[in-house]
Each structure stands twice: as structure tokens, then as C-alpha cells.
């Protein structure tokens, strides 16, 4: 959007190294999981159940609201509705009028047809290494 391209190092870190390390940390913590204790006293099961309930209320809303947003779109098929839900609306962008005009001109200058013909693997590869 700003016409600047980050260096290859940062793109590789953000796209490959950091997600990979986070995944490894998750797997390691799941493999080495032990119930919590405080000074040798184990927490009761009710505490774990309450913690899972808090997690479910927070995280469980994500798929609900995503499906709700997709279902509210005007497309006929699920794929069309998903595409419309992920596409910015016309009034999305900077609040300042001058910046909004520049933003809209830049959006129109992109050739979206070329990016739609590429496979998702090619688009990811181009985003990281292109």
C-alpha cells in the first residue's frame, strides 16, 4: 500500500520461521503437559473446567461470528459469500479524504485478474520471495 517492499529476511521470518517456531512451542507444551499445582497441592477439576469454559466463551465466538458474517453476504454460493466477506467494502480505508482518494486509485491500479489466475501456492510464494 505504501509502495515499499520489506526485505527478504523479514518476509521469511514472518511467513515461515515465526509460525514454525510457534507451532513447535505448541507441540512441545502439549507433549510435556502436566497438571498445575501450587506448593505441591493439585488444583481441583472444577478449576480446570472453569478455565476451559472461559476459553470456550472467548475463542468459541470466532467461528460463530465468522459464519454469521459470511451468511449475511449477498452471494449465492458459499464460495461467493466467503469472497465477499473477505473483500473490503467501498468505504473501507483512510478517513482523510485525500488519503482515501490515493488509496482507491492504488486499489484500482492493481491487476486483480492476474492474481486470481495463479494458484494459492504461487501467490504465497510470490508474496514471500517475489
Amino acid at each position: 500500500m505504501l509502495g515499499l517492499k520489506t526485505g527478504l529476511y523479514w518476509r521469511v521470518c514472518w511467513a515461515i520461521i515465526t509460525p514454525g517456531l510457534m507451532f513447535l512451542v505448541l507441540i512441545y507444551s502439549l507433549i510435556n503437559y502436566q497438571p498445575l499445582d501450587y506448593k505441591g497441592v493439585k488444583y481441583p477439576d472444577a478449576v480446570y473446567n472453569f478455565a476451559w469454559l472461559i476459553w470456550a466463551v472467548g475463542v468459541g465466538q470466532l467461528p460463530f461470528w465468522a459464519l454469521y458474517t459470511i451468511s449475511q453476504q449477498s452471494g449465492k454460493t458459499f464460495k461467493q459469500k466467503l469472497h465477499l466477506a473477505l473483500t473490503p467494502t467501498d468505504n473501507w480505508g483512510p478517513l482523510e479524504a485525500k488519503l482515501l482518494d490515493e488509496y482507491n486509485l492504488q486499489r484500482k491500479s492493481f491487476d486483480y485478474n492476474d492474481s486470481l489466475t495463479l494458484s494459492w501456492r504461487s501467490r504465497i510464494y510470490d508474496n514471500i520471495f517475489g
Side-chain angles (χ1 to χ4, degrees):
M1 185 170 140
L2 298 175
L4 303 172
K5 189 154 188 154
T6 57
L8 179 64
Y9 170 78
W10 293 109
R11 288 181 281 157
V12 169
C13 282
W14 291 332
I16 298 170
I17 295 172
T18 302
L21 288 175
M22 295 300 290
F23 181 73
L24 289 175
V25 167
L26 173 68
I27 297 301
Y28 177 80
S29 65
L30 291 175
I31 290 172
N32 293 325
Y33 173 77
Q34 294 177 349
L36 296 175
D37 62 54
Y38 180 71
K39 294 184 181 179
V41 177
K42 301 282 184 198
Y43 285 100
D45 288 338
V47 173
Y48 287 106
N49 293 339
F50 183 67
W52 279 109
L53 178 68
I54 291 173
W55 178 85
V57 167
V59 176
Q61 291 185 47
L62 295 174
F64 170 77
W65 288 111
L67 291 173
Y68 174 77
T69 302
I70 292 168
S71 70
Q72 296 300 309
Q73 301 303 316
S74 61
K76 295 185 182 200
T77 65
F78 181 79
K79 187 175 179 180
Q80 290 173 341
K81 288 183 177 209
L82 178 64
H83 178 72
L84 288 171
L86 297 175
T87 303
T89 58
D90 291 334
N91 64 351
W92 188 89
L95 293 176
E96 191 176 323
K98 181 183 175 194
L99 291 176
L100 182 61
D101 292 339
E102 290 176 13
Y103 169 75
N104 286 330
L105 282 173
Q106 186 178 23
R107 269 186 70 196
K108 290 177 183 172
S109 71
F110 290 134
D111 189 8
Y112 290 108
N113 292 331
D114 288 346
S115 66
L116 293 177
T117 58
L118 296 174
S119 71
W120 62 273
R121 288 185 187 115
S122 299
R123 286 185 282 187
I124 291 173
Y125 182 85
D126 288 344
N127 260 340
I128 298 172
F129 301 109

